Amino acid sequence: MYCRSMRPVSRSVHRSGNVVGMGLLRSKGMVILAGNSHPELVKAVCHHLDVRPGNCSVFYRSSRETDVEIKETVRGRDVYIIQSGTKDVNNDIMELLIIAHACRSACARKVIAVVPYLPYSTQSKRRKRGPITSKLVAKMLCASGINHLITLDLHSKEIQGFFDVPIDNLRASPFLTKYIETYITDYRNAVIVARNPGVVPRASSYAERLRLPLVVIHGEERDESDNTDGRNSPPLDQSIVEKRCTQIGLELLPMMIPKAKPPLTLVGDVNSRIAIIIDDIIDDVSKFVTAAELLHERGAYKINHSVRINVGSNTNVPEAKLPFYVSTTR
């Protein structure tokens, strides 16, 4: 009885008369594509990895519609799209969505979006009758064909729950704490300052790493539009409400009182200390200047800011004339 040896048959793809194994397709490596948001970052990443950026053209038609042309094959390859948020945030989002969709349509193996600053990340909670825009952006990114998202210091960690794909939320705090230890010679005499109560968890992380006390700035000036909660509009006549409740035998509930923040105050002692203000995003530098003035009035002799900078509509760091230690992503 004769036995014929069974050899494993490798899967292959025929292209132009040549046989290309599936393993060879994957061994072609990755390709790095980018939009127009941060060309300097793309060059730095490619230089560090010793690879050339992918040949991709992102342009605008005469109708101001965004168009993308990928001029090399991405079939079977892992595509990394580097695109961060800038002042032109809406175009940045559309460029990322269209590039990702183009790669998915071109049979890319995986599409990984590298977004150091995720646009609309500050709009992760519903306010009055407003939308949760961060969730909408997450759904659009997932629908465009992105398989994985890499970002830096999300404004709120809960945003990761909006996505249906894995997320790597990297942190800039190890680099910033190392910078503080290296370049502030007397940092042991410093205090960590949370610019508002919402930053306390982030500031606490810095305080624990640096073994420094924590101070919180509480209260701030509010816009007139914030004093009126839309859920109470239009205002009701109290006498009419009481009459209706009496007729149907219901007890009148008290009206909702709008929230009011106290004047800007400081919880903690900064007298004769170095103040290091912690925050993640600078969108309006005037708020940081106001916080610095308050700390100076309370006796702080040196004031520094440690942030992941987000150059917004009203940000001018040089004019602030304050030391900023930043992890720049825009």
Side-chain angles (χ1 to χ4, degrees):
M1 182 177 181
Y2 297 95
C3 297
R4 180 178 298 177
S5 61
M6 302 297 294
R7 297 181 180 178
V9 180
S10 60
R11 298 177 61 186
S12 60
V13 177
H14 294 270
R15 182 186 299 170
S16 302
N18 297 327
V19 178
V20 182
M22 293 299 293
L24 182 59
L25 283 176
R26 295 186 179 182
S27 67
K28 286 184 177 180
M30 64 179 181
V31 58
I32 297 178
L33 303 180
N36 297 320
S37 66
H38 207 319
E40 294 82 6
L41 177 62
V42 178
K43 292 179 182 178
V45 171
C46 292
H47 177 74
H48 182 75
L49 297 176
D50 194 20
V51 297
R52 65 172 183 83
N55 193 356
C56 176
S57 177
V58 181
F59 56 94
Y60 299 101
R61 296 183 176 181
S62 57
S63 60
R64 296 302 299 167
E65 293 180 351
T66 304
D67 200 355
V68 171
E69 183 178 356
I70 301 176
K71 301 179 181 180
E72 64 178 274
T73 180
V74 296
R75 181 181 294 272
R77 305 175 73 180
D78 294 340
V79 181
Y80 290 82
I81 306 173
I82 301 178
Q83 179 82 339
S84 188
T86 63
K87 293 181 180 180
D88 196 7
V89 61
N90 294 325
N91 282 332
D92 296 333
I93 284 288
M94 286 306 302
E95 289 180 8
L96 177 59
L97 293 173
I98 296 174
I99 295 174
H101 184 67
C103 293
R104 176 56 61 191
S105 301
C107 300
R109 179 172 173 263
K110 290 186 67 176
V111 180
I112 302 98
V114 182
V115 189
Y117 169 66
L118 182 64
Y120 292 98
S121 60
T122 58
Q123 300 186 37
S124 59
K125 296 181 181 179
R126 187 173 184 182
R127 186 167 177 264
K128 298 181 181 179
R129 296 187 180 92
I132 306 177
T133 313
S134 181
K135 182 176 181 179
L136 174 62
V137 172
K139 296 302 181 184
M140 290 193 301
L141 291 174
C142 294
S144 67
I146 290 175
N147 304 111
H148 192 174
L149 177 70
I150 302 175
T151 186
L152 178 67
D153 277 337
L154 283 173
H155 182 69
S156 176
K157 294 182 180 179
E158 291 76 11
I159 295 176
Q160 299 177 71
F162 295 159
F163 289 84
D164 299 327
V165 298
I167 295 181
D168 283 327
N169 182 27
L170 307 181
R171 295 181 299 173
S173 56
F175 302 96
L176 293 174
T177 53
K178 185 66 176 179
Y179 189 94
I180 292 171
E181 292 174 343
T182 304
Y183 293 97
I184 301 181
T185 55
D186 51 348
Y187 81 94
R188 289 295 181 185
N189 189 36
V191 293
I192 300 298
V193 181
R195 195 183 63 82
N196 56 60
V199 191
V200 169
R202 190 182 304 271
S204 298
S205 175
Y206 280 81
E208 292 172 359
R209 289 174 179 268
L210 296 170
R211 305 293 192 272
L212 297 176
L214 178 65
V215 172
V216 181
I217 296 177
H218 179 60
E220 59 184 355
E221 297 181 0
R222 295 168 58 89
D223 297 333
E224 294 182 359
S225 59
D226 293 338
N227 295 329
T228 303
D229 193 333
R231 292 172 295 182
N232 290 335
S233 61
L236 298 176
D237 189 343
Q238 189 71 7
S239 60
I240 297 177
V241 175
E242 292 178 357
K243 182 178 179 180
R244 290 179 179 176
C245 291
T246 303
Q247 290 176 352
I248 60 178
L250 295 178
E251 183 179 355
L252 181 63
L253 297 176
M255 295 291 292
M256 182 181 296
I257 301 175
K259 296 180 180 179
K261 287 190 176 181
L264 202 64
T265 185
L266 187 67
V267 181
D269 183 23
V270 296
N271 188 28
S272 301
R273 307 289 290 269
I274 300 174
I276 303 176
I277 303 177
I278 301 297
D279 208 342
D280 62 334
I281 295 176
I282 299 179
D283 190 43
D284 187 355
V285 76
S286 62
K287 296 180 180 179
F288 287 83
V289 175
T290 302
E293 292 174 349
L294 175 64
L295 294 170
H296 181 70
E297 292 174 0
R298 297 299 178 89
Y301 71 90
K302 186 184 293 184
I303 301 170
N304 303 305
H305 293 70
S306 178
V307 297
R308 182 178 64 82
I309 191 168
N310 168 21
V311 181
S313 58
N314 188 18
T315 303
N316 196 335
V317 174
E319 287 187 2
K321 298 181 180 179
L322 296 170
F324 279 81
Y325 306 123
V326 300
S327 171
T328 305
T329 60
R330 291 181 65 173

